[in-house]
Amino acid sequence: MPEQTRLIVVAVVTDDDRGVLLCRMAPDRGVFPGQWALPGGGVEPGERIEAALRREVREEIGIELSSATPLLFKDAVLEKTFEDGRREPIHMVFLVYRCRPASSTVTPSPTRSTKCC
């Protein structure tokens, strides 16, 4: 088992038509480089879990959340690629939330694009 354990918040952002918002991950780093995935990321030391969820959604897809309801959690050991190209296995605990956006305006980060399906 890897030495490092990381809490990861994941947002399943749904609209009124039950569509789910996905974002394309950065092509050169992360656990799912270049893939379409749910927005989310790591909880920083001292950060509250829901605050991390709201921050990650704001950073990745540029929206505020009106609600966040816990759905499930799962853990896995996954290989993460860092910006310098280094790869490292990390034990990740995924905390998944069903979320509703406060508005329908989406502004993805410059390294990501979004789609709803």
Side-chain angles (χ1 to χ4, degrees), residues 32-51:
F32 308 108
Q35 296 179 37
W36 287 101
L38 298 167
V43 178
E44 300 300 329
E47 189 175 32
R48 302 287 308 234
I49 291 171
E50 189 170 323

Side-chain angles (χ1 to χ4, degrees), residues 10 12 31 36 46 74:
V10 179
V12 180
V31 178
W36 287 101
K74 176 180 177 29

Side-chain angles (χ1 to χ4, degrees), residues 11-104:
V12 180
V13 181
T14 60
D15 62 15
D16 291 337
D17 297 324
R18 297 175 54 140
V20 175
L21 189 64
L22 300 175
C23 61
R24 187 178 300 269
M25 296 294 138
D28 59 345
R29 63 186 175 274
V31 178
F32 308 108
Q35 296 179 37
W36 287 101
L38 298 167
V43 178
E44 300 300 329
E47 189 175 32
R48 302 287 308 234
I49 291 171
E50 189 170 323
L53 176 73
R54 291 175 181 278
R55 175 184 52 75
E56 287 289 347
V57 168
R58 190 171 39 257
E59 287 174 1
E60 292 191 359
I61 57 178
I63 65 171
E64 298 295 330
L65 299 176
S66 65
S67 67
T69 306
L71 280 177
L72 60 97
F73 76 93
K74 176 180 177 29
D75 76 325
V77 175
L78 298 171
E79 185 175 81
K80 180 175 180 176
T81 303
F82 292 88
E83 288 185 64
D84 63 5
R86 176 176 47 94
R87 293 176 180 217
E88 182 179 314
I90 299 176
H91 176 232
M92 297 185 172
V93 179
F94 295 92
L95 307 169
V96 182
Y97 287 77
R98 179 169 187 249
C99 302
R100 299 290 295 185
S103 75
S104 60

